[in-house]
Amino acid sequence: MSFPHFAALFRPSQFFGIRGGVHPETRKHLSAESAIEDMPVPTLVRVPLQQHIGAEAEPLVKRDDLVMKGQLIGRARGPVSANIHAPTSGRVIAVGHFAAPHPSGLPIPTITIRTDGQDSWGPRLGRLRPENATPEEIAAKVAEAGIVGMGGATFPSAVKLNLRARYDLHTLVINGAECEPYLTCDDRLMRERAEEIADGIGIMARALGVRQIVVAIESNKAEAISAMQRFDRALDLPMRVQVVPTQYPMGSEKHLVKILTGRETPARALTADLGVVVHNAATAHAVHLAVRYGEPLLSRVVTVSGRGIRRPANVRVLIGTPVAEVIAHCGGLTEEPDRLLLGGPMMGQPIQNLRVPVVKGTSGILALTTSETPGCETMPCIRCGRCSQACPVGLTPFELNARIQADDLEGAGRIGLLDCITCGCCAFTCPANIPLVQTIHYAKGKLAEAEGRKHQQEETKRLAAARKAREEAAAEAKRQMMAKRKAEMEAKKKREAEAARAAPPPPEPQPATQGGAAQ
């Protein structure tokens, strides 16, 4: 599709519908008017080596090493991975395992640093002038800085910036929707750091080689819209703010592209197949800091909210800070929360251990009381179809649930299990309080586990076949070598025998004379 035709799809007066979705109570008023504040350096930071989609980083430090702020302590391993840097200065007291910020609470590789309170910088990354830098140099700098998608997906940003080599890209969409209830960290960032975000957007657009930029913000963020509208260009490219309806899950990149363009991204395809790349507003800010000032991703803005928090706030927190210390900074808990979440209430991850750290993808810390959480009593499914009406992907969650409960994961896969984006709309609308999205999470995990076992079995078979082939090849080579040696020995014997036959007979010895004998 040519650029002019595609550009026409972004008319400000035109919207395209998306299927499903819900309108939960936003409750953003709890923290929306709280300006971003910097949290003091904690006494201890725990930095997981797996804060991103892909392979975990390789640790570069050991116990008792002194580290400086910004020092590389974990190197990206593989094409889809991300660097990890020390968020502050101090001494490494452990390189081992610690509980993950995940419902399982299982331990993951983690570097623990006792901070020295000095927050002393080591050598920063080299700076770039993006106006003169090549797309490859910008992508390499973003990779060096360890930047990942900060909307929650945590996909390594440099990998997305390198999509220009495989796709014909023409539009960069900046996701400022922030559709999850309670969360206001991106809203405040756009209000307070609009110029820096616009610069980061221009840097990413240059790396992608696109021709236009659209910043999509939900209609309930009037001040963020006004702040971003002050900038109509990013570097040399036109940039336009597009106000989109307040609806969940507007922050899903495929649905954001759908409402802006009217074009639907095929199942298990990328928006890049349509020529569009989506990045988060906070990611753009991190890119600005990395390219202009040589700062790796060491901190992020986190919304701390819920009626269980004494003083809801938007706090800039160092990566690795324990959740307990962030809550304490906000005045502590008003009561024992009914539910503790990292992220938003729709897609956030419940946690039991307040010692788990803030990571690159932590957009919120929520302490929800019983007045904010739905009843837990589960009733049988009445097949009312509300979950299907709410599903933005067009699935039938009640059918998925029935097949999963029957342990028919293959059947669930055939009707779209892997297409589910686990947005939680189905569970939100279910009058029977069936934990549909949790069931789907479980099934995806089991399916991934089964696929992993299958891959392991296939790999074992492949390695066994390869070993057998090597052994057979070695045996055949040995057999051929022995046959060759035997042939050589027989040939040598034959040559010796022929040489012996061809040689003249030795002279007969002469008898001694009588005279000689008499003497």
Side-chain angles (χ1 to χ4, degrees):
M1 181 180 292
S2 65
F3 170 67
H5 178 46
F6 188 84
L9 296 178
F10 283 93
R11 290 194 296 270
S13 60
Q14 183 176 4
F15 284 113
F16 296 88
I18 59 173
R19 66 165 65 90
V22 294
H23 295 85
E25 186 179 349
T26 65
R27 293 173 180 164
K28 293 178 183 285
H29 66 278
L30 295 173
S31 59
E33 300 310 314
S34 298
I36 297 171
E37 55 189 78
D38 292 322
M39 182 177 165
V41 176
T43 56
L44 205 70
V45 290
R46 294 186 173 94
V47 188
L49 293 170
Q50 180 80 65
Q51 301 184 47
H52 47 267
I53 290 176
E56 70 182 43
E58 175 189 1
L60 300 178
V61 293
K62 61 183 184 300
R63 185 176 177 178
D64 290 330
D65 281 355
L66 295 176
V67 295
M68 304 297 287
K69 182 173 183 174
Q71 178 180 331
L72 183 67
I73 59 174
R75 181 185 293 116
R77 183 158 33 190
V80 181
S81 186
N83 284 339
I84 305 292
H85 300 80
T88 187
S89 55
R91 182 184 296 275
V92 176
I93 62 172
V95 180
H97 287 71
F98 192 77
H102 183 270
S104 69
L106 293 174
I108 58 174
T110 302
I111 295 173
T112 303
I113 301 171
R114 187 177 301 284
T115 65
D116 59 13
Q118 302 300 312
D119 205 31
S120 302
W121 275 93
R124 302 201 185 200
L125 309 179
R127 301 184 184 186
L128 285 180
R129 282 190 58 83
E131 297 84 356
N132 303 324
T134 65
E136 292 77 15
E137 289 173 333
I138 293 172
K141 184 61 61 181
V142 170
E144 186 182 5
I147 298 174
V148 301
M150 297 179 70
T154 65
F155 193 81
S157 299
V159 177
K160 292 180 76 172
L161 292 182
N162 282 320
L163 291 177
R164 68 188 180 282
R166 296 163 47 201
Y167 298 91
D168 179 20
L169 305 175
H170 39 62
T171 303
L172 169 61
V173 172
I174 296 300
N175 187 348
E178 198 171 41
C179 60
E180 277 267 16
Y182 292 93
L183 302 186
T184 56
C185 51
D186 286 354
D187 179 17
R188 292 305 313 187
L189 199 60
M190 288 186 286
R191 293 197 212 183
E192 301 178 32
R193 299 285 188 270
E195 184 175 4
E196 297 173 2
I197 291 173
D199 182 64
I201 291 170
I203 293 170
M204 291 194 294
R206 180 173 179 82
L208 290 165
V210 297
R211 300 186 287 273
Q212 67 172 348
I213 302 164
V214 179
V215 181
I217 307 176
E218 279 193 339
S219 58
N220 62 354
K221 301 174 181 63
E223 291 189 34
I225 293 167
S226 177
M228 293 303 298
Q229 283 178 335
R230 296 201 304 267
F231 304 94
D232 58 358
R233 298 191 73 79
L235 291 187
D236 297 330
L237 290 172
M239 183 177 79
R240 184 172 55 75
V241 174
Q242 178 69 65
V243 181
V244 297
T246 300
Q247 179 181 354
Y248 182 86
M250 191 59 67
S252 165
E253 66 172 27
K254 292 184 178 181
H255 294 88
L256 196 57
V257 171
K258 173 68 161 55
I259 202 168
L260 292 172
T261 70
R263 301 185 65 196
E264 189 162 356
T265 307
R268 299 173 209 172
L270 302 175
T271 59
D273 290 301
L274 306 181
V276 184
V277 172
V278 182
H279 276 284
N280 179 263
T283 306
H285 186 253
V287 168
H288 160 79
L289 295 176
V291 174
R292 295 285 188 185
Y293 299 102
E295 293 186 16
L297 181 54
L298 307 178
S299 64
R300 67 157 297 139
V301 180
V302 177
T303 297
V304 187
S305 190
R307 299 195 186 281
I309 299 293
R310 194 172 303 280
R311 185 178 64 85
N314 296 291
V315 188
R316 192 183 310 279
V317 180
L318 292 178
I319 302 300
T321 302
V323 167
E325 294 200 31
V326 182
I327 292 176
H329 174 77
C330 295
L333 299 172
T334 60
E335 60 181 88
E336 185 67 25
D338 182 58
R339 190 175 301 172
L340 279 166
L341 299 171
L342 291 185
M346 300 295 286
M347 296 186 72
Q349 300 289 345
I351 57 169
Q352 305 298 327
N353 184 355
L354 289 180
R355 298 169 63 205
V356 300
V358 169
V359 293
K360 295 178 181 181
T362 305
S363 54
I365 299 172
L366 304 184
L368 306 182
T369 63
T370 53
S371 64
E372 300 170 282
T373 56
C376 297
E377 184 181 354
T378 300
M379 295 177 287
C381 174
I382 59 174
R383 302 179 73 86
C384 63
R386 289 188 188 178
C387 56
S388 298
Q389 293 169 4
C391 180
V393 186
L395 304 177
T396 52
F398 66 90
E399 288 285 0
L400 285 170
N401 181 65
R403 299 197 183 197
I404 294 167
Q405 295 297 339
D407 206 24
D408 182 14
L409 297 185
E410 290 187 5
R414 286 194 297 271
I415 61 173
L417 173 63
L418 295 180
D419 295 324
C420 174
I421 60 173
T422 59
C423 63
C425 288
C426 54
F428 178 81
T429 60
C430 181
N433 289 326
I434 298 173
L436 294 167
V437 70
Q438 290 86 348
T439 301
I440 290 171
H441 266 301
Y442 161 80
K444 282 188 169 185
K446 293 293 287 184
L447 208 58
E449 183 182 346
E451 286 293 323
R453 285 198 302 268
K454 182 180 177 182
H455 174 74
Q456 187 176 18
Q457 289 170 357
E458 291 175 350
E459 186 68 7
T460 301
K461 288 180 181 178
R462 186 189 68 80
L463 293 173
R467 179 180 178 180
K468 183 178 179 182
R470 288 195 305 270
E471 290 175 346
E472 290 177 350
E476 178 64 18
K478 183 177 181 180
R479 187 189 65 77
Q480 292 179 0
M481 182 183 68
M482 294 298 292
K484 182 180 178 182
R485 286 183 179 177
K486 183 178 179 181
E488 289 175 348
M489 291 293 293
E490 290 177 351
K492 182 179 179 182
K493 289 180 180 179
K494 184 177 180 181
R495 287 195 302 271
E496 289 176 349
E498 290 176 350
R501 286 195 299 268
E508 296 181 0
Q510 296 293 327
T513 61
Q514 290 183 356
Q519 291 178 356

